[in-house]
Amino acid sequence: MTGMNADAADTALAAQYEAYPYPERDPRDEGKRLLIGSPSHLREIDHWVFGATRPRSRPLRALVAGCGTGDAAIMLATHMAREGRPGEVVALDRSAHALSIARARARVRGLDNIRYVAGSLTDLAALDLGAFDYIDCCGVLHHLPDPDAALAGLVAALAPGGGMGLMVYAPHGRTGVYMLQDALARLAPPEQEPAARLDVARRVMRHLPPTAWLRVNGNFGDHLTGGDAGLYDLLLNPRDRAYDVTALFGLLDRAGLSVACLMEPARYDPALLLPDPRLRGRLDGLDVRARAAVAEDLAGNMATHVVYVTRAGEEPARADPLAPGSVPVMREMPGVEVARRMTPDHVLPVEFGLLEVRLPLPPQARGILPLIDGERSVGDLAALLDQRGVPADRFGAIWAQSFAALESVNRVLLRPPA
């Protein structure tokens, strides 16, 4: 790494991503599917970062800082192209090999709204790329020598009113990873050639004892389905920090950032895990951060934390989901499918990895969900429900409960104005 705290681990990291660009992707697959995730889904950015108040016609300048082989850049650029949204995505990475794969993927899709920049996110000031309305930094900060300094550099590149989507590793859900990393660091030290280290890792995995925690941890699968790049990144990465949610808040506080959303909000609600009324009474006495920490500690399966943030003091005005003119939109899963998954007792089962929680909904939500098409307003939904015998005074309460629940699991968001 140039410019900031270059060290042996970082030199090894650069060699790793040049030898095994991550994640392992075949550009030919772009003709078959679009990989979807968080952060940097356009509807999430509109809703969580900009409060569904930033006009869609306003150009969006986005930076994917440490884009790797291009998952976030391809997803966001595709969403923008499909919706005719103006702007550009700047894909920044120091691995020439990774950038070449991202370029090839974009060519298959015919995307012309991505600009590729070779360089390190820690050198943003020297790269002189200008200011960005939105910055993605997913799976990068926890590998850097100085995450605080790197995050400060990203904050400095934010345009006024801008925001970011970040992902860092979390410790509990990665149980077993760090044990194997320690063993492999002794068997195949980071200063050795990547190919030799990978050979050792493969051999260890073939003989991994049945008692190894990694064998029973189903919260991730890079070592099983991610190819050479996935195995290397999980078990041979020369620097890999994990942040519990309390440490994550500390990192954001030091950078002067305000949390717009931990993804998904319901995942961080311990009340969904503790139906006992006395326990819920104890939760009522905890602040938001303590509640999130309790949820993480109880669930035990959070392998990452995804968070949308803005500068503290620049939190956006948020659209009112109850206003008649607000337009709800399904994030991905069609409303008819969400309604189909509701149980006869009007509960929506939601999976957070291997953990399933039960989200109670009003009975009428089953009829409302198929009507949400990204064009009908809340007022339109109310009128349709009135024709079905649900008067306006009842609809308001039903919609308030439905939206709050479905927003908390990232199923229903708000569409910004044109």
Side-chain angles (χ1 to χ4, degrees):
M1 178 183 299
T2 60
M4 185 183 72
N5 293 344
D7 58 11
D10 197 65
T11 299
L13 187 70
Q16 168 190 331
Y17 288 130
E18 203 59 46
Y20 303 106
Y22 181 82
E24 192 169 290
R25 299 290 183 237
D26 184 340
R28 292 172 295 184
D29 291 337
E30 297 306 313
K32 308 172 187 175
R33 52 89 184 109
L34 174 66
L35 293 173
I36 298 295
S38 300
S40 300
H41 190 293
L42 182 57
R43 288 181 176 173
E44 292 176 4
I45 296 170
D46 285 340
H47 182 87
W48 295 113
V49 175
F50 298 118
T53 58
R54 189 180 193 271
R56 302 194 303 277
S57 58
R58 185 175 170 187
L60 179 70
R61 190 159 193 267
L63 169 69
V64 181
C67 76
T69 54
D71 281 5
I74 295 293
M75 176 182 67
L76 180 52
T78 300
H79 285 167
M80 292 172 65
R82 285 178 177 175
E83 294 195 10
R85 301 279 287 271
E88 71 168 349
V89 177
V90 176
L92 171 69
D93 204 277
R94 61 178 175 173
S95 167
H97 194 175
L99 280 177
S100 71
I101 295 170
R103 282 193 184 93
R105 294 174 67 184
R107 280 197 298 270
V108 173
R109 291 188 169 274
L111 295 171
D112 61 3
N113 56 351
I114 303 178
R115 179 157 67 97
Y116 307 91
V117 177
S120 171
L121 67 89
T122 61
D123 290 331
L124 274 181
L127 291 169
D128 195 25
L129 299 176
F132 296 91
D133 305 301
Y134 174 75
I135 295 176
D136 168 293
C137 190
C138 179
V140 180
L141 292 173
H142 45 234
H143 294 315
L144 299 180
D146 190 342
D148 284 80
L151 185 55
L154 295 176
V155 174
L158 271 183
M164 292 193 278
L166 309 173
M167 184 276 274
V168 295
Y169 292 148
H172 305 331
R174 286 167 64 83
T175 297
V177 170
Y178 298 107
M179 301 171 191
L180 263 292
Q181 284 185 2
D182 289 345
L184 287 168
R186 293 180 173 92
L187 292 170
E191 59 268 19
Q192 294 182 357
E193 288 298 312
R197 300 189 73 215
L198 182 64
D199 179 68
V200 173
R202 286 183 183 141
R203 292 171 184 272
V204 168
M205 290 303 295
R206 285 199 292 269
H207 300 284
L208 193 64
T211 52
W213 280 107
L214 190 66
R215 279 197 178 277
V216 296
N217 191 341
N219 296 313
F220 46 82
D222 264 5
H223 56 308
L224 303 174
T225 61
D228 290 345
L231 179 63
Y232 204 111
D233 195 63
L234 185 72
L235 299 180
L236 293 169
N237 202 297
R239 177 180 283 116
D240 178 336
R241 293 178 174 88
Y243 292 80
D244 64 21
V245 71
T246 301
L248 173 59
F249 275 117
L251 175 70
L252 300 175
D253 287 343
R254 293 190 296 275
L257 294 169
S258 174
V259 172
C261 169
L262 284 163
M263 188 61 66
E264 295 85 358
R267 181 185 286 262
Y268 294 87
D269 181 4
L272 290 173
L273 307 176
L274 299 174
D276 185 307
R278 290 190 180 184
L279 293 177
R280 287 190 169 185
R282 288 181 175 268
L283 293 175
D284 290 341
L286 302 179
D287 63 20
V288 171
R289 296 186 177 196
R291 288 172 66 94
V294 170
E296 179 181 23
D297 292 340
L298 288 176
N301 74 332
M302 295 184 191
T304 64
H305 295 301
V306 173
V307 61
Y308 286 109
V309 298
T310 61
R311 281 196 188 92
E314 292 187 9
E315 296 83 357
R318 309 201 70 83
D320 180 1
L322 308 184
S326 291
V327 177
V329 61
M330 305 304 299
R331 185 256 193 191
E332 279 290 333
M333 187 182 296
V336 66
E337 175 62 19
V338 177
R340 188 190 67 79
R341 296 188 180 197
M342 290 176 63
T343 63
D345 58 347
H346 317 301
V347 167
L348 179 65
V350 179
E351 293 180 353
F352 297 139
L354 299 178
L355 173 67
E356 182 180 278
V357 300
R358 291 171 55 82
L359 195 70
L361 291 168
Q364 297 84 355
R366 196 185 306 273
I368 295 174
L369 279 162
L371 301 175
I372 297 174
D373 61 1
E375 298 294 336
R376 292 189 179 100
S377 67
V378 172
D380 294 332
L381 297 179
L384 288 169
L385 267 290
D386 184 62
Q387 296 172 13
R388 300 179 184 183
V390 180
D393 56 342
R394 286 187 57 211
F395 174 83
I398 292 166
W399 175 244
Q401 182 184 347
S402 299
F403 182 84
L406 293 164
E407 180 195 41
S408 77
V409 291
N410 208 32
R411 295 290 190 273
V412 178
L413 306 172
L414 293 180
R415 185 180 186 184

